[in-house]
Amino acid sequence: MSNNQQSNHPKSNIWRDVRFWRFAGQFLAVFIAAIVVAILWGNLNRNLQQLGIQPGFSFLNSQAAFDIGETLISYAPSDTYSRALLVGFVNSLRVMVAGIILTTIVGITAGIARLSDNWLVRKLALVYVEIFRNTPLLLQLLFWYFAVFLTLPKVENPISLLGFIRLSQNGLELPWIQFSPEFSTLLIGITLYTGAFIAEIVRGGIQSVSRGQWEAAASLGLKPGLAMRLVIFPQALRVIIPPLTSQYLNLAKNSSLAVAIGYPDIYLVASTTFNQTGRAVEVMLLIMTIYLTISLIISLVMNLFNKSVQLKER
Amino acid sequence: MRKWCLVLLTTLPVLFSLVACGGPPSSNPATSRLDTVKSRGKLICGVSGELPGFSFVSSDGKYAGLDVDVCRAIASAIFDNPDAVEFRNLNAKERFTAVQTGEVDILSRNTSWTLSRDTSVGLEFAPVMFYDGQAIMVKKDSDIKSLADLKGKAICTQTGTTNEQNLGDQMRKLGIPYKPVVFEDINTTFATYAEGRCQGVTSDRSQLLSRRATLPQPQNHIILDAVLSKEPLAPAVANGDSKWFDVVKWSIYTLINAEELGINSKNIAQFANSKDPEVTRFLGKEGNLGEGLGLSNDFAVRIIKNVGNYGEIYDRYLGPKTPFNLPRGQNNLWTKGGLQYSPPFR
Ligand SMILES: N[C@@H](CCC(=O)N[C@@H](CS)C(=O)NCC(=O)O)C(=O)O
């Protein structure tokens, strides 16, 4: 066959072959992109050299010499910058993981409530969604911080809930664990903000399941609650998961707003690092890589989950 | 098909390396920022903009303060116009990148001169405009009287400052555990302290005084006596441009030297006919000091006429007639027991 073709177009003119032009087009695009990157990189290097700065990552091994208010792993100012960044990374992960779990619960609850038969529940869910979806997250964070947490009573006379939860300016204290106001603010802020978007996604997902499914479930004798859990929701998941993934990604990235309210996440620690070392480019590259990695991991996990709920074509 | 790919792909790195090396050689003597500023017709000056006394927008809508007048002095030296300055507000974190990238010509923003900023951050520090030290402010009705009383307490500070680091050093040295709460924005820092989340807030003493004046009830806050560090606040420019650095440096020395010689904005006319060679050289009647700097020979006259001498500036923003009423102390002339000293103008 291929032999046949060869003989049909004996050494045909390369310039008249569409495949060549397609390839050349791609080549040109890559080439131009490479030139742009090279120029930017060369420019950066020249400018840094003029300032007498050698680009490189060796600064990560020098002493950080600044303190971090909240650490899940051991840390002292005498540790290195890389350790400090690790502390920030763990702090970020902590808020991302807790945020994703809580926002899923909030979002699904509010999404289902939006379709409730109860007028009050329906309206409350609507008000929640509209308020949190339509105001900037930064504003919400500052609101939670200044108008809620910092107006709580002083540490000396906290509000006691159920006898063991203590709320004060020092944050939320349980007998075995304490959450700082900065962490609590960030967690509540990103949870409720993202939850409002998820609620709409969930509502849309449920409404996309055809009425016939409800009727079929009812005719099998399933109560509405069970019908939702066993029949409707699993089908709705197919529509819900892809946009849900983007919301998780948004939550992860939005957690960098921690810097506004003083929660020492990776971005805040990185800011301090680049300020002290003057390594803006290296540090920015580093945290971009870190956020990218986190995002890719979230996408990967969600894609696997997505595969498992999609219709199996048989 | 395969073959074209191969051919094209092998040419790629070759072309690529041609481009990568094609830029002008790095040894190329760049034009000085002085020329850039001159041709632009104004100076771009990075300040905080949030510190009354140092840099803030006064009620008439103009920038004012000690840090601001440094830039006005330089603009006077170059353009004989103290208003030929564009100010950019920079927070503690942004400031160094703004100098490195050339976004501002000069950083005049209560910045402490340290070795690593001078070297690895790529700055060049002009003479110290204000000798300061770090302190801690607490509420008067708290029973915190010394650093030791801050044990286990939360202390607010701003990220990217020497204060953040010094606090860690001092508390570690004294073995006092505490909780730092660190913000990027100065207003958030002080609001959080005022709300009571932090029992103390730390910064340079002058900045605490300045910010205390902006708190709802200034009299309810006291500044502890302990001095945590040395904070020599100096303007800075980017490394590697000595011509520009010289202009900045000697504009500041002009302010100090003028005070030393007793020349100020009011009496400068009387010095026009002075016979004192030190004065005539300084004011450009004799010699060509300005030429060496790439300025006009009467640059000192322009500076003094437009902004005054160091003492005048100090008194204008921090002196007895201001709410701060800060004694000169270390910021007095060397002849009066202080540290302000200018090398000779000759
Ligand atoms: N001198 C210290 C502190 C400078 C500093 O940034 N101080 C804060 C006061 S806490 C400030 O002026 N902030 C003003 C702003 O961010 O606009 C340094 O150079 O690191």
Side-chain angles (χ1 to χ4, degrees), chain B residues 40-302:
Chain B
R40 191 195 296 127
K42 68 178 177 202
L43 179 75
I44 300 182
C45 170
V47 295
S48 152
E50 301 277 0
L51 287 173
F54 287 84
S55 57
F56 64 110
V57 180
S58 63
S59 46
D60 60 0
K62 283 176 83 177
Y63 275 87
L66 189 90
D67 285 342
V68 164
D69 274 5
V70 169
C71 292
R72 296 208 187 280
I74 297 166
S76 302
I78 304 173
F79 305 113
D80 196 13
N81 176 6
D83 293 321
V85 191
E86 181 183 325
F87 292 97
R88 299 259 166 94
N89 282 13
L90 298 171
N91 71 24
K93 193 188 104 185
E94 297 157 343
R95 56 184 158 170
F96 302 133
T97 332
V99 184
Q100 285 174 348
T101 56
E103 193 199 318
V104 296
D105 302 319
I106 173 174
L107 180 72
S108 180
R109 188 205 164 283
N110 52 297
T111 296
S112 302
W113 183 353
T114 69
L115 189 146
S116 48
R117 288 174 178 177
D118 210 334
T119 55
S120 41
V121 180
L123 300 184
E124 205 70 90
F125 281 90
V128 175
M129 271 302 282
F130 193 92
Y131 288 93
D132 208 346
Q134 186 175 336
I136 296 184
M137 179 160 75
V138 298
K139 299 228 165 73
K140 206 177 209 161
D141 60 10
S142 69
D143 33 38
I144 301 167
K145 298 281 173 289
S146 68
L147 292 188
D149 297 334
L150 282 163
K151 186 169 173 194
K153 303 277 197 263
I155 303 176
C156 283
T157 185
Q158 210 178 344
T159 181
T161 59
T162 44
N163 311 124
E164 184 185 11
Q165 295 169 288
N166 296 330
L167 180 66
D169 283 359
Q170 286 296 328
M171 297 308 241
R172 190 150 51 109
K173 193 166 100 188
L174 299 170
I176 305 171
Y178 73 106
K179 184 176 155 57
V181 186
V182 183
F183 298 92
E184 196 172 281
D185 177 58
I186 187 172
N187 297 315
T188 318
T189 314
F190 280 82
T192 308
Y193 160 74
E195 293 284 346
R197 161 71 179 112
C198 295
Q199 286 72 43
V201 59
T202 186
S203 182
D204 302 345
R205 179 174 295 270
S206 64
Q207 285 147 50
L208 289 179
L209 278 168
S210 158
R211 292 299 302 201
R212 178 167 72 174
T214 68
L215 288 176
Q217 261 129 8
Q219 71 281 4
N220 289 353
H221 305 272
I222 53 165
I223 297 172
L224 301 180
D225 289 331
V227 180
L228 278 72
S229 66
K230 293 189 283 192
E231 304 289 338
L233 308 181
V237 296
N239 248 347
D241 185 348
S242 56
K243 196 171 165 195
W244 175 234
F245 181 45
D246 284 342
V247 169
V248 170
K249 195 161 56 178
W250 287 94
S251 295
I252 294 172
Y253 283 140
T254 300
L255 299 173
I256 298 169
N257 201 47
E259 185 179 12
E260 206 178 314
L261 294 174
I263 309 175
N264 62 38
S265 57
K266 315 240 159 38
N267 67 13
I268 186 159
Q270 295 159 28
F271 285 86
N273 305 315
S274 169
K275 294 279 171 304
D276 182 349
E278 213 180 328
V279 172
T280 51
R281 218 181 310 119
F282 181 51
L283 299 183
K285 297 270 167 345
E286 263 174 27
N288 50 0
L289 292 180
E291 224 168 85
L293 289 171
L295 298 173
S296 88
N297 276 332
D298 67 344
F299 71 96
V301 178
R302 295 174 167 194

Side-chain angles (χ1 to χ4, degrees), chain A residues 31-314:
Chain A
F31 184 60
I32 291 174
I35 290 178
V36 171
V37 171
I39 290 174
L40 290 178
W41 183 251
N43 186 39
L44 175 75
N45 267 323
R46 245 191 326 281
N47 286 333
L48 286 180
Q49 234 168 49
Q50 226 166 50
L51 291 169
I53 298 175
Q54 280 295 326
F57 285 92
S58 52
F59 71 93
L60 286 175
N61 296 323
S62 40
Q63 203 189 70
F66 65 92
D67 231 322
I68 301 180
E70 260 173 86
T71 56
L72 283 187
I73 54 175
S74 77
Y75 171 80
S78 49
D79 287 336
T80 60
Y81 281 115
S82 42
R83 181 79 187 177
L85 288 167
L86 185 65
V87 170
F89 177 66
V90 173
N91 281 344
S92 280
L93 278 189
R94 175 182 181 213
V95 83
M96 287 176 194
V97 171
I100 286 179
I101 295 171
L102 289 181
T103 203
T104 310
I105 299 172
V106 170
I108 292 179
T109 313
I112 293 177
R114 287 277 273 120
L115 299 169
S116 162
D117 294 333
N118 183 318
W119 182 87
L120 185 65
V121 171
R122 218 165 50 228
K123 290 300 167 202
L124 278 179
L126 178 72
V127 168
Y128 157 68
V129 168
E130 293 307 338
I131 288 181
F132 283 86
R133 207 166 56 138
N134 293 316
T135 49
L137 176 55
L138 182 60
L139 207 73
Q140 292 181 24
L141 287 177
L142 293 176
F143 171 82
W144 288 113
Y145 195 54
F146 283 110
V148 179
F149 275 96
L150 296 192
T151 51
L152 289 173
K154 294 235 150 54
V155 210
E156 293 82 33
N157 43 350
I159 304 176
S160 230
L161 295 175
L162 309 171
F164 67 95
I165 304 176
R166 283 147 41 100
L167 259 177
S168 75
Q169 279 193 336
N170 251 19
L172 179 69
E173 270 176 85
L174 304 176
W176 60 93
I177 194 166
Q178 187 189 355
F179 299 107
S180 74
E182 291 79 30
F183 175 79
S184 317
T185 300
L186 185 62
L187 185 58
I188 292 180
I190 56 175
T191 296
L192 293 183
Y193 179 75
T194 319
F197 288 91
I198 294 181
E200 286 301 277
I201 292 170
V202 168
R203 181 177 67 97
I206 292 173
Q207 283 178 331
S208 76
V209 179
S210 72
R211 280 225 62 82
Q213 296 289 324
W214 282 102
E215 284 154 11
S219 67
L220 284 176
L222 289 178
K223 298 228 168 60
L226 270 186
M228 173 67 96
R229 232 178 62 211
L230 299 177
V231 180
I232 308 299
F233 199 72
Q235 297 188 67
L237 270 184
R238 289 180 198 138
V239 181
I240 290 175
I241 289 179
L244 184 65
T245 309
S246 349
Q247 291 309 322
Y248 287 169
L249 294 175
N250 278 344
L251 181 139
K253 289 179 289 179
N254 284 341
S255 71
S256 65
L257 286 174
V259 72
I261 46 156
Y263 176 69
D265 76 329
I266 177 75
Y267 182 70
L268 181 61
V269 174
S271 303
T272 309
T273 304
F274 97 63
N275 189 276
Q276 286 184 10
T277 57
R279 304 295 181 158
V281 179
E282 291 90 336
V283 174
M284 285 306 148
L285 277 178
L286 207 67
I287 49 176
M288 269 161 71
T289 317
I290 291 174
Y291 277 110
L292 190 65
T293 313
I294 294 175
S295 295
L296 288 178
I297 291 174
I298 294 177
S299 300
L300 188 76
V301 171
M302 291 303 285
N303 281 344
L304 289 179
F305 184 42
N306 194 23
K307 275 218 185 84
S308 73
V309 299
Q310 289 309 322
L311 268 184
K312 309 274 182 301
E313 306 271 348
R314 272 178 278 245

